[in-house]
Amino acid sequence: MEAKRGSITFFATYRPPLALDIFSLPADPNATRKDEIHLTDGISYNYNGQAISPQALRTILRHSQLASSSKPLKRSDIDSGHLTGLVFVSKRDNNLETLHIALRFNRDDDDDDDNDDDDDDNDGTCDYDDDNDNDDDDHCGDDDDDDYSYDDDHNDYDNDDDDEKEEEEEEEGEDNPCPTAVQVYSFVDVYGTFSGVRMEDSGCIAGGYTVGNGTVDLYLVYASTMEPIEDRLQPWTAIYKTNLRTGETERLTPQGVSDLSPSVSPSGKKVAMASFERKGWQGENEHLHTDIYVMHIRNPHVERRRVIRKGGWPTWGSDNIIFFHRKKEGFWGVFRADISNGKTRVTHRVTPIGIDAMTPAAINDTEVAVATIRKKSKFDEDRVAAQYRHIEIFDITAPRQESIEITRNTRPKTDHYNPFVIDHYNK
């Protein structure tokens, strides 16, 4: 039989040469590299993190695998800020993108340092992912004492003399004992959720609010492909919630619908997400044609409604304010919408036209952290600082859409992605 020759066409995303990981910086334009905090154990590719509230962390620690940890875990450590938690995506298990929990232990002797960077005392930091090409995933946050975190590959090509001197000073200090220890656990190992081939993303904490004389259980809300695909050439990501007390998992997305990028409101009652509902996937791979829907955490199928057309990556500034990104007039921008009256028809552009701004993380109802690219570049071009992706904070009350730059001063030639907020709320 004569062989037939042809071509196979496929799409692949860029995998950075250095491992992507999660770091935090104070929300201070004068912050330096010495202010960076590494939030994971540095193993594999880690990104798309969210802080675990103290209340949720206390619930998680009751589970047997964590209770039998080699390092004693005490409630008093959580209350004092010596033990903090992070849920994030990692590729460490069979190269699958799945959820993990990081427990970060601060050294006791740090308490004696007047300049202590205790997680509960920082003036704010911005979390982000570096070198993650997906611009339609998620985030949560709101408080005056915020930390901003991000994912970073620390692939810094800036060879200025000052940077070289700073790097030498950092290397000289590497013999000092690490002020923290991090233990990482697979979410599926702790809670026994679906362990087959799947992708998981955008974990965030919901629930914990009062109804009558009782308190609603706490949940981890996340996107997953755990259920098999129903239709060819259609996405099958859906939103799920896992009860942090019982381990019970429930699908929140209606059958036959695909959702992604969940975000929980500050009250813990509502979930916003980007959805393909009513339209399906049309083959787009960079600019996903999604709308934003909101549903109630306890009655997702009854109280689900579209609130914003043409938007992705929602994040709550308050229970009535949503920031999101969309591509308009040739540039990605971050917008703000008031959904207090239901579906909104008026949105306000927060970031200026002429730059790309994406993956917002709300700080409150007027401030939002975003990833920006201020100057477009070609793939084979030797980029300048403005062509790298950096984390900035925009405030709608500021004149002329001015921003606070977070990462450009510390690592000008490193890409930073997907900010999130550590706000130390007592939930």
Side-chain angles (χ1 to χ4, degrees), residues 271-374:
V271 181
M273 78 292 296
S275 179
F276 290 98
E277 186 169 343
R278 302 183 184 180
K279 61 182 67 175
W281 181 61
Q282 305 300 320
E284 67 273 16
N285 55 51
E286 178 185 356
H287 181 193
L288 300 181
H289 300 160
T290 57
D291 297 330
I292 294 175
Y293 284 72
V294 168
M295 58 187 169
H296 197 282
I297 190 68
R298 297 185 72 190
N299 301 296
H301 306 304
V302 176
E303 300 181 39
R304 177 184 171 102
R305 57 193 172 94
R306 185 174 66 181
V307 295
I308 299 167
R309 295 185 67 251
K310 298 181 180 179
W313 202 286
T315 175
W316 298 84
S318 71
D319 267 41
N320 290 319
I321 300 296
I322 291 179
F323 293 88
F324 62 97
H325 69 200
R326 71 159 57 122
K327 194 169 186 179
K328 189 175 182 180
E329 299 180 62
F331 294 91
W332 283 96
V334 171
F335 295 77
R336 179 181 183 270
D338 186 337
I339 65 167
S340 56
N341 293 322
K343 182 178 178 180
T344 181
R345 297 185 181 276
V346 179
T347 59
H348 171 73
R349 187 165 193 148
V350 178
T351 56
I353 297 176
I355 71 170
D356 285 310
M358 62 219 81
T359 61
I363 301 169
N364 51 47
D365 60 0
T366 65
E367 295 178 286
V368 60
V370 306
T372 65
I373 301 175
R374 289 193 165 267

Side-chain angles (χ1 to χ4, degrees), residues 257-268:
V257 173
S258 179
D259 294 335
L260 61 158
S261 305
S263 176
V264 176
S265 66
S267 68

